[in-house]
């Protein structure tokens, strides 16, 4: 066998590193380029349309799409940023949590890119990456500690972020479906297409959010004792399905706008109530939202209202930085580099259940 | 002038071959489950062993399979990224052709006319297979395949000396590089198309299931 080659060199430019980030944890192939906290490129290729007819993300379809999108997405990001790949100081890649087969496409690419450029690679946490996206906004980095509510088709997590490079605590997460998944499933129940989030939002316009009192998962006192910051949306989805079935069986017309608005209200109510409770309980008056579900108009509205009432400073990055993207991965990589963190060893793999507390692979 | 070849259709095989055909370095891992873990170090190792810098590589040969999908993609993603990073061409190369070339090379030098069937594991009690008629200008002459089938459903082999079958558990990136070199020399190009040979496992939804009885 061959002798072990020496490791890739560490970054020398620790003050304002040029970092290329790769994201492939679900159905978005993202390549982003940042210089320190400055966003230079954020190119996203989504395979969402290919999943629409299946009503949800099909892992193998997503993984195939990542490989097809890789070269054009890389090329566009480099062109947009106006840099040469040889100028890159480091490569960052999301290594989990997410779909293993999808993550591995990004990992294979990131490692080869790093070796080809003789630059180090940082294997970072996809969820913490969503927090990292915040530093790229026009307002600059959010003051820490902060509470982060990350809501997407695959995740619903509440984090206490004391430092995004070395101190992230998981306060709670969904114990069954992710919030975005619940939107997709309820959309199907109502005969609406995938993805469900925007469809439910459209259908809910003009609906009465108080028309039907759907259950708020894990909010009863006995549930709060054990799951204060956890979420559950599976029971809500079933409650909506049952409500609709009973009326369909009786031959009644389904008030789609009211059902959509009432369902959305139940989701938004729980998400914002628990996030605000975490801010209040922990004395952290700063809340950061991230993930694709932040596109939901009602979530933004209620979050703003409740944050204002509770005296909480709310931050929602622009949408292209909220959905899965490579820029947030690059941003977290840059933060790690600027903090002096050493690069990841080259033998890391995909970890589909990487805990939020593990910010990067050491 | 150096070819970097990467194949993850079976284990992880990476090689550096000079354009005159000289093998500079190779790194092989038989494990069929750890492609993502080992591919980066494997590329580093061949560069270090050969004393070649990444900037001296002038062509990347990427094994397009057939092979189990998840692993296959790791090597191809690495091949695409390396070629993009260095601004050089990627030559997509059929992994079965590498196996065939290795077998033909053992039979003799120069052009050969010998029938050969290459068979590799496709999991799910199926195999990937390709039939060859021989070797011309260093390129295996593929008659049929790659295709996927149950072992019992394989058609009778065609071509001369039709009893030769190679059941391969590994693909040599050295041979992959040599096939790519020969194809490039003959002006043969191939579209970037991973040989999955199976559709993704998914069935269209029949609509939401009832939750109440």
């Amino acid at each position: 066998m061959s002798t072990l080659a020496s490791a890739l060199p560490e970054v020398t430019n620790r003050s304002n590193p040029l970092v290329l980030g790769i994201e492939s944890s679900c159905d978005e192939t993202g390549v982003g380029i940042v210089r320190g906290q400055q966003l230079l490129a954020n190119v996203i290729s989504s395979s969402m349309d290919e999943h629409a007819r299946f009503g949800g993300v099909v892992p193998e379809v997503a993984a195939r799409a990542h490989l097809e999108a890789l070269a054009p997405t890389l090329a566009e990001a480099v062109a947009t940023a106006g840099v040469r790949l040889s100028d890159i100081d480091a490569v960052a890649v999301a290594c989990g949590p997410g779909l293993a087969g999808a993550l591995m496409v990004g990992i294979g690419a990131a490692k080869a890119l790093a070796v080809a450029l003789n630059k180090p690679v940082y294997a970072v946490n996809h969820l913490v990456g969503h927090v990292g996206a915040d530093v790229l906004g026009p307002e600059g980095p959010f003051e820490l500690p902060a509470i982060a509510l990350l809501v997407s088709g695959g995740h619903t997590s509440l984090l206490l972020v004391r430092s995004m490079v070395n101190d992230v605590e998981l306060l709670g997460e969904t114990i069954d479906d992710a919030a975005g998944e619940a939107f997709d499933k309820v959309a199907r129940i109502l005969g609406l297409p995938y993805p469900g989030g925007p469809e439910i939002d459209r259908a809910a316009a003009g609906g009465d959010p108080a028309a039907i009192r759907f259950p708020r998962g894990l909010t009863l006192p006995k549930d709060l004792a054990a799951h204060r910051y956890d979420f559950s949306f599976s029971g809500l989805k079933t409650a909506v399905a049952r409500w609709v079935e009973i009326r369909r069986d009786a031959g009644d017309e389904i008030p789609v706008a009211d059902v959509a608005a009432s369902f959305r209200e139940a989701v938004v109510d729980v998400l914002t109530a628990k996030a605000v409770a975490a801010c209040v309980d922990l004395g952290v008056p700063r809340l950061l939202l991230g993930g694709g579900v932040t596109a939901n108009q009602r979530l933004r509205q209620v979050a703003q209202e409740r944050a204002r009432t509770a005296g909480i400073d709310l931050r929602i990055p622009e949408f292209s930085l909220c959905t899965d993207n490579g820029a947030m991965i690059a941003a977290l990589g840059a933060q790690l580099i600027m903090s002096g963190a050493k690069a990841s060893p080259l033998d890391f793999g995909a970890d589909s259940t990487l805990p939020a507390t593990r910010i990067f692979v050491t | 002038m150096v070819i970097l070849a990467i194949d993850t259709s079976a284990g992880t095989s990476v090689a550096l071959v000079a354009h005159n055909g000289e093998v500079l370095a190779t790194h092989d891992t038989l494990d069929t489950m750890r492609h993502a873990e080992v591919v980066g170090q494997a590329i580093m190792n061949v560069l270090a062993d050969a004393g070649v810098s990444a900037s001296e590589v002038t062509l990347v040969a990427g094994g397009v399979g057939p092979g189990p999908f998840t692993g296959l993609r790791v090597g191809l993603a690495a091949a695409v990224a390396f070629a993009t990073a260095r601004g050089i061409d990627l030559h997509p190369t059929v992994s079965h052709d590498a196996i065939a070339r290795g077998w033909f090379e053992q039979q003799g030098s120069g052009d050969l006319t010998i029938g050969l069937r290459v068979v590799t594991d496709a999991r799910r009690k199926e195999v990937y297979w390709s039939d060859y008629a021989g070797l011309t200008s260093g390129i295996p002459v593929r008659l049929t395949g790659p295709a996927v089938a149950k072992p019992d459903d394989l058609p009778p082999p065609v071509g001369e000396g039709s009893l030769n079958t190679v059941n391969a558990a590994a693909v040599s990136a050295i041979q992959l590089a040599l096939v790519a070199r020969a194809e490039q020399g003959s002006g043969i190009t191939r579209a970037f198309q991973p040989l999955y040979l199976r559709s993704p496992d998914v069935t269209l939804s029949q609509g939401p299931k009832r939750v109440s009885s």
Side-chain angles (χ1 to χ4, degrees):
Chain A
M1 289 307 290
S2 11
T3 53
L4 191 73
S6 56
L8 291 164
E10 292 288 342
V11 176
T12 48
N13 173 9
R14 294 274 176 183
S15 59
N16 207 20
L18 186 65
V19 181
L20 182 144
I22 300 177
E23 155 64 36
S24 68
S25 67
C26 191
D27 61 341
E28 253 102 26
T29 312
V31 178
I33 300 176
V34 307
R35 193 187 298 278
Q37 297 181 355
Q38 183 195 359
L39 176 65
L40 300 182
N42 184 20
V43 179
I44 300 166
S45 168
S46 177
S47 61
M48 186 189 286
D49 293 346
E50 294 176 53
H51 306 286
R53 65 197 183 104
F54 303 114
V57 173
V58 180
E60 177 61 22
V61 172
R64 290 184 184 189
H66 284 308
L67 183 55
E68 281 175 33
L70 182 60
T73 311
L74 256 176
E76 194 184 334
V78 171
T80 304
V83 298
R84 285 175 307 181
L85 273 173
S86 54
D87 296 332
I88 298 281
D89 289 308
V91 178
V93 62
C95 66
L99 304 170
L103 288 163
M104 283 183 215
V105 176
I107 292 171
K111 289 183 176 182
L113 209 53
V115 174
L117 299 170
N118 198 34
K119 297 294 160 59
V121 58
Y122 287 76
V124 309
N125 188 304
H126 164 85
L127 274 178
V128 184
H130 277 293
V131 178
D134 167 69
V135 305
L136 301 172
E139 299 158 87
F142 210 25
E143 189 186 334
L144 298 178
I147 302 295
L149 173 65
L150 307 177
V151 202
S152 69
H155 307 283
T156 309
S157 306
L158 203 51
L159 310 178
L160 168 58
V161 184
R162 292 191 193 87
S163 155
M164 79 176 77
V165 297
N166 60 30
D167 192 352
V168 173
E169 185 181 333
L170 178 71
L171 298 175
E173 61 189 338
T174 182
I175 61 170
D176 41 55
D177 293 351
E181 201 178 347
F183 273 94
D184 293 338
K185 288 176 175 173
V186 167
R188 281 177 62 190
I189 291 165
L190 294 174
L192 301 170
Y194 172 90
E199 295 291 335
I200 295 278
D201 241 10
R202 258 192 293 281
D208 177 5
I212 309 151
R213 177 71 192 179
F214 286 126
R216 271 64 170 160
L218 301 181
T219 57
L220 296 174
K222 67 176 167 64
D223 292 328
L224 283 175
H227 295 286
R228 185 159 186 82
Y229 304 122
D230 288 329
F231 303 93
S232 166
F233 298 105
S234 178
L236 169 60
K237 170 208 66 190
T238 307
V240 175
R242 184 168 287 128
W243 195 95
V244 170
E245 276 172 20
I246 288 168
R247 275 146 194 89
R248 273 198 189 125
D249 290 351
D252 296 347
E253 194 167 322
I254 306 301
V256 172
D258 284 349
V259 175
S262 299
F263 157 75
R264 184 180 65 173
E265 200 66 9
V267 175
V268 167
D269 184 18
V270 178
L271 288 173
T272 52
K274 294 207 173 204
V276 167
C279 291
V280 172
D281 295 349
L282 300 166
V284 175
R286 285 168 296 275
L287 176 60
L288 171 71
L289 300 194
V293 178
T294 55
N296 191 283
Q297 290 308 317
R298 185 66 185 149
L299 175 61
R300 287 172 171 251
Q301 193 183 355
V302 175
Q304 273 153 10
E305 287 165 11
R306 290 187 171 175
R308 197 182 311 122
T309 306
I312 293 166
D313 191 3
L314 177 70
R315 181 75 74 89
I316 311 176
E318 71 169 86
F319 186 61
S320 62
L321 291 171
C322 274
T323 51
D324 290 349
N325 68 85
M328 69 184 197
I329 302 302
L332 178 54
Q335 291 293 312
L336 287 162
I337 291 164
M338 291 187 285
S339 77
K342 282 190 162 185
S344 301
L346 204 48
D347 62 351
F348 65 89
D351 185 345
S352 57
T353 60
L354 186 71
T357 47
R358 201 143 177 246
I359 297 165
F360 75 115
V361 177
T362 54
Chain B
M1 301 287 276
V2 176
I3 303 168
L4 168 68
I6 304 171
D7 189 286
T8 53
S9 65
T12 302
S13 183
V14 179
L16 274 185
V17 173
H19 273 271
N20 66 4
E22 183 195 349
V23 178
L24 303 175
T26 180
H27 184 97
D28 289 277
T29 307
L30 291 176
D31 193 329
T32 57
M33 299 295 288
R34 289 175 50 83
H35 307 95
E37 286 83 347
V38 303
V39 72
Q41 193 68 54
I43 300 170
M44 270 192 79
N45 285 357
V46 295
L47 291 169
D49 286 358
V52 167
S53 81
S55 60
E56 292 174 81
V57 176
T58 49
L59 180 73
V60 178
V64 293
F69 316 151
T70 305
L72 178 65
R73 272 190 292 266
V74 172
L76 284 173
V80 166
F82 196 99
T84 304
R86 300 300 345 159
I88 56 178
D89 283 342
L90 168 64
H91 187 88
T93 312
V94 176
S95 303
H96 274 192
D97 289 357
I99 296 168
R101 197 189 181 288
W103 187 85
F104 286 126
E105 201 178 67
Q106 287 171 358
Q107 311 310 309
S109 56
D111 290 358
L112 294 166
T113 304
I114 314 174
L116 173 69
R117 170 165 289 173
V118 169
V119 177
T120 55
D121 182 22
R123 299 183 183 166
R124 303 182 186 185
K125 297 177 182 167
E126 290 188 319
V127 294
Y128 297 119
W129 65 279
S130 303
D131 279 352
Y132 296 85
L135 191 72
T136 301
S137 306
I139 303 169
V141 181
R142 183 156 24 86
L143 299 173
T144 316
V148 64
K150 293 212 180 330
D152 291 346
D153 296 342
L154 288 179
V158 289
E160 307 269 334
S162 55
L163 293 177
N164 302 298
T165 297
V166 175
N167 271 287
V171 175
S172 158
I174 294 171
Q175 292 297 335
L176 196 80
L178 293 172
V179 171
R181 171 177 171 268
E183 288 185 336
Q184 288 260 316
S186 302
I188 296 169
T189 56
R190 209 179 294 283
F192 179 74
Q193 184 68 60
L195 299 176
Y196 298 120
L197 307 184
R198 280 190 194 121
S199 297
D201 283 332
V202 60
T203 47
L204 280 174
S205 165
Q206 303 300 307
K209 285 195 280 277
R210 277 191 72 86
V211 295
S212 42
S213 49

